[in-house]
Amino acid sequence: MPAGSAAVSAARRRRSLAILLGIAVLAGAGLGTWATGTWPFDRQSYCWGAWEVREGDRVPRVLDENSADSEDGERSGEQSAPPRKGRRATCSVALRDKSGSEYDERIEAEVATVPRGSKERRDWLRTYLDADSAPLPDGLPGLVGRTRAVFVLPEGCDSADGLPTAVTVEGVRTSPLPASMGSEEEVADLLLSLAGTAARASGCAPEEPFEAVSPLAPADADDGLTAQGGELCRIPGLRFALDADDHYDSGVGAVRDDLQTCSVLDTADVRNPVRAALFAAVSRPRLTALFTGLADGGSPGKGWRGTGEVGEEHGLLTATCAGRPTVFFLQLDAFLAAHADPDPRRVFAAAANSVADRLGCPAVAPGS
């Protein structure tokens, strides 16, 4: 072979080898980042394509195209394998401030079966049925707040043992500022987009998309009501014998025909208040599924209409009210349970009867 031809062939082999090595490096990087939950080639969308970086109205800061357009901001994302029925999936998108503060803000999301353990489920409910969250309009099975939101997927997405699958999103900040994801409307858009993506990926999406046509009404949020000297959240019977030094505040959430919520915070640590109690009355379809499996089908006792159980720190009753299955739920911390006036069982009964009366239903619990 002539010397010139040999030189050309050698150069071609070197170029081909370089190209192959480059492809191998890229493939290795892709596989590695998939294993750790990131994907370097999709810079403009996150959470399996549910959320896109863009500019305009109703765009959370974390996804605003202009939030990471300089050396002061850096956006990144992580995600697990896509959602599948019965399998937990997670994703997040973060915006880091590199101007010197090193603070970051993140939106974390999860698609998963609700917790199976009774205590874990009650704690989960106390978080996501919080009074700071408003129900989605048009009967959609979800609640939205600035810091967290939840949506219950259709029955076809339930686990093999009949538990519902929920989509949750939550804001997280490393700065002292509140962990707000944005306005309620912005959070609702995020939630519904992710719910649709999760349902399609799981093979259980309905024919019609999850879409809020009516405006989102804010929670009736009357926060900061003292828990001393009266009924919590203005619900007759929801009463506790507390002193002025007991740091508990109550918040009135939704007061609707298909959902009513009341939350209580322990504010002893002002910077980190703790959720101490939740009372809820729920009849909105699919939201009632969140209580599946928390009690057997027996009666709480004489005088109770429906099924459920009542303990020292919790109460659960499912009864027909206004023609619909309605769940009455109470969860208390140990201190509030010890100071229920006159006792936890009768406090739950009185509060449930008060809401039933408001809904135009006969009493669901025995009178005092």
Side-chain angles (χ1 to χ4, degrees):
M1 178 183 294
S5 297
V8 170
S9 297
R12 286 175 177 170
R13 285 196 297 271
R14 286 195 296 272
R15 284 197 299 271
S16 298
L17 180 60
I19 292 171
L20 290 173
L21 287 172
I23 292 173
V25 168
L26 288 173
L31 290 173
T33 49
W34 174 257
T36 57
T38 60
W39 187 247
F41 307 117
D42 189 4
R43 300 292 185 183
Q44 299 303 311
S45 65
Y46 300 90
C47 291
W48 314 288
W51 301 342
E52 293 185 352
V53 175
R54 59 188 179 87
E55 60 180 353
D57 297 333
R58 292 174 65 154
V59 182
R61 174 177 146 78
V62 171
L63 293 169
D64 190 334
E65 192 173 60
N66 298 316
S67 296
D69 61 355
S70 68
E71 295 180 356
D72 293 338
E74 180 181 62
R75 185 182 292 108
S76 62
E78 294 184 355
Q79 65 186 34
S80 68
R84 291 291 184 271
K85 188 184 296 188
R87 187 173 68 187
R88 178 175 178 265
T90 62
C91 67
S92 67
V93 57
L95 183 65
R96 188 180 186 188
D97 182 0
K98 298 173 62 179
S99 63
S101 68
E102 297 300 315
Y103 290 140
D104 67 16
E105 53 185 300
R106 300 192 309 281
I107 298 177
E108 298 179 347
E110 179 183 73
V111 182
T113 302
V114 296
R116 283 180 166 79
S118 295
K119 182 183 183 303
E120 293 76 13
R121 179 94 62 84
R122 290 193 295 266
D123 290 343
W124 186 92
L125 289 165
R126 191 160 53 183
T127 297
Y128 288 103
L129 297 187
D130 187 81
D132 286 337
S133 296
L136 287 167
D138 306 317
L140 290 167
L143 292 92
V144 172
R146 290 176 177 267
T147 59
R148 69 185 57 83
V150 61
F151 187 93
V152 187
L153 292 180
E155 186 175 356
C157 305
D158 286 358
S159 65
D161 55 349
L163 293 180
T165 296
V167 177
T168 59
V169 295
E170 187 164 2
V172 179
R173 284 181 187 262
T174 59
S175 73
L177 297 173
S180 172
M181 292 182 283
S183 69
E184 285 89 348
E185 290 79 8
E186 291 169 352
V187 177
D189 289 345
L190 288 177
L191 181 67
L192 293 177
S193 179
L194 182 56
T197 296
R200 289 190 295 273
S202 300
C204 54
E207 293 183 2
E208 296 296 326
F210 305 130
E211 184 178 3
V213 178
S214 304
L216 177 66
D220 294 332
D222 192 353
D223 295 327
L225 299 174
T226 181
Q228 292 84 11
E231 284 87 0
L232 268 62
C233 300
R234 307 188 188 96
I235 299 175
L238 196 60
R239 188 180 183 90
F240 300 84
L242 300 175
D243 296 329
D245 294 334
D246 297 328
H247 303 284
Y248 286 91
D249 290 339
S250 65
V252 179
V255 183
R256 313 279 204 275
D257 287 348
D258 60 0
L259 180 67
Q260 180 168 349
T261 58
C262 166
S263 297
V264 182
L265 290 178
D266 179 353
T267 58
D269 184 344
V270 178
R271 292 187 176 182
N272 296 291
V274 177
R275 294 180 185 87
L278 170 71
F279 175 80
V282 185
S283 63
R284 180 173 294 196
R286 293 304 292 161
L287 285 186
T288 57
L290 296 176
F291 303 88
T292 300
L294 280 180
D296 58 26
S299 169
K302 184 179 179 180
W304 294 84
R305 185 169 65 84
T307 62
E309 65 177 37
V310 183
E312 288 301 306
E313 295 183 8
H314 67 273
L316 176 68
L317 178 72
T318 301
T320 301
C321 187
R324 296 182 294 187
T326 302
V327 178
F328 301 88
F329 176 79
L330 178 66
Q331 175 73 14
L332 303 172
D333 71 4
F335 186 86
L336 287 176
H339 291 77
D341 185 14
D343 60 66
R345 191 176 183 90
R346 282 186 282 181
V347 162
F348 178 55
N353 280 337
S354 296
V355 175
D357 182 67
R358 180 180 71 80
L359 297 174
C361 301
V364 296
S368 57

